Amino acid sequence: MSAPLADGVGVARAEHFESVAQQREAATLGIWAWLITELLLFSALFLVALITRIQHPEATVAAAKHLKFWIGATNTVVLICSSLTMSMAIEFSRMGWQRAMVRAMLATAALGGLFLVLKGYEYYADWDEHMMPFLSSRPFALAETPAARLFVNLYYVATLLHALHLFTGIALLLGMTWMAARAGFLSRHQNWIEVYGLYWHFIDLVWILAFPILYVVNR
C-alpha cells in the first residue's frame, strides 16, 4: 500500500476519466499488461537456455566459462542500487520533495549508464576472445560444439534485448527528469513517476533472472 501524498502533490484528471483514482488505475493496469508480455518474451529465452544446459551440459559450461562473471555480478549490484534510487525518487515524489526526486532520478539514469558501459566492455572482451559466433570474419572459439554456439547466441539475444530496454529506459527517464524539474510537475503528473518506476524495476528483475541462468548455473 503506497504512502499518502503530500499537500500539493497529485494528478491532473484527463477528460476521458471519471476520476483521478480511475486514471491512476488505468495507467497502472496498462503498464502491468505490457510488462507481463515483455516478461513472457524473456522467459522463453531463459527457458531455452536452461533446456540447452540440461541437454548439453559440457558444451554450455565451456561457453559459460568465457562469460565475465565479475562484470555480470557487478552489473547485478549496479541495477539493484538503481532500483533503490528509483524507489527513493517515487517516495520523494509522494512527499513533494521535487529537488530530491530529480536527483534520485538522475542517479538512477547514471547507474543505468554505468551498466551499459560495463556491458559494452564485456562485449569487447567477447569479441577479442572470438566468442561471437555470428561474426563470419572472426572464427568462433568453440566452433566444434554446436550447442555452445546456440547457448552463446541465446546469451547475446537476451542481453542485447535487455540492453535495448535499459537504453530506452534511460532515455525516457532523462526526458521525464527534464520535465519533472519544472515547477508544478508534481501537482499534475506525480503518477508518471510511479508508473515509470514499474518499468525500471522490470528491467532490474529481468537481469536478476538473467545473471544466474546465464552466468552461474552449471558454471
Side-chain angles (χ1 to χ4, degrees), residues 15-97:
E15 294 182 359
H16 53 283
F17 291 105
E18 295 181 356
S19 65
V20 169
Q22 184 189 56
Q23 184 172 336
R24 283 180 171 275
E25 290 175 3
T28 303
L29 178 61
I31 189 66
W32 271 114
W34 181 70
L35 291 179
I36 289 173
T37 62
E38 293 295 289
L39 185 59
L40 289 174
L41 171 62
F42 281 102
S43 297
L45 293 172
F46 296 152
L47 180 60
V48 175
L50 286 172
I51 292 173
T52 303
R53 281 185 175 275
I54 293 171
Q55 293 184 336
H56 307 280
E58 294 182 2
T60 52
V61 167
K65 286 182 178 179
H66 282 269
L67 303 182
K68 306 302 177 289
F69 180 86
W70 72 270
I71 295 181
T74 302
N75 269 342
T76 302
V77 175
V78 167
L79 277 192
I80 290 175
C81 290
S82 75
S83 274
L84 174 61
T85 55
M86 190 66 232
S87 296
M88 291 170 61
I90 293 172
E91 290 302 317
F92 291 149
S93 75
R94 292 169 180 166
M95 293 185 289
W97 296 2

Side-chain angles (χ1 to χ4, degrees), residues 54-168:
I54 293 171
Q55 293 184 336
H56 307 280
E58 294 182 2
T60 52
V61 167
K65 286 182 178 179
H66 282 269
L67 303 182
K68 306 302 177 289
F69 180 86
W70 72 270
I71 295 181
T74 302
N75 269 342
T76 302
V77 175
V78 167
L79 277 192
I80 290 175
C81 290
S82 75
S83 274
L84 174 61
T85 55
M86 190 66 232
S87 296
M88 291 170 61
I90 293 172
E91 290 302 317
F92 291 149
S93 75
R94 292 169 180 166
M95 293 185 289
W97 296 2
Q98 186 171 7
R99 182 174 296 181
M101 175 194 71
V102 168
R103 289 176 176 173
M105 293 167 71
L106 289 174
T108 303
L111 288 168
L114 175 59
F115 179 100
L116 292 179
V117 169
L118 289 171
K119 197 64 193 167
Y121 173 77
E122 184 176 13
Y123 285 152
Y124 171 77
D126 293 337
W127 175 85
D128 188 56
E129 296 177 7
H130 292 256
M131 286 299 294
M132 292 185 170
F134 46 84
L135 294 181
S136 58
S137 59
R138 296 180 67 82
F140 182 45
L142 302 175
E144 70 281 358
T145 52
R149 181 187 296 270
L150 173 60
F151 178 80
V152 173
N153 280 328
L154 285 169
Y155 158 79
Y156 280 113
V157 171
T159 57
L160 283 171
L161 190 60
H162 175 265
L164 177 61
H165 280 75
L166 180 55
F167 178 83
T168 303

Side-chain angles (χ1 to χ4, degrees), residues 154-201:
L154 285 169
Y155 158 79
Y156 280 113
V157 171
T159 57
L160 283 171
L161 190 60
H162 175 265
L164 177 61
H165 280 75
L166 180 55
F167 178 83
T168 303
I170 293 171
L172 291 173
L173 181 57
L174 290 176
M176 190 180 300
T177 303
W178 178 73
M179 292 186 290
R182 297 181 175 183
F185 175 86
L186 285 178
S187 65
R188 302 189 305 272
H189 306 298
Q190 186 275 334
N191 68 318
W192 289 9
I193 308 299
E194 299 197 16
V195 170
Y196 176 82
L198 291 174
Y199 176 73
W200 192 269
H201 293 322

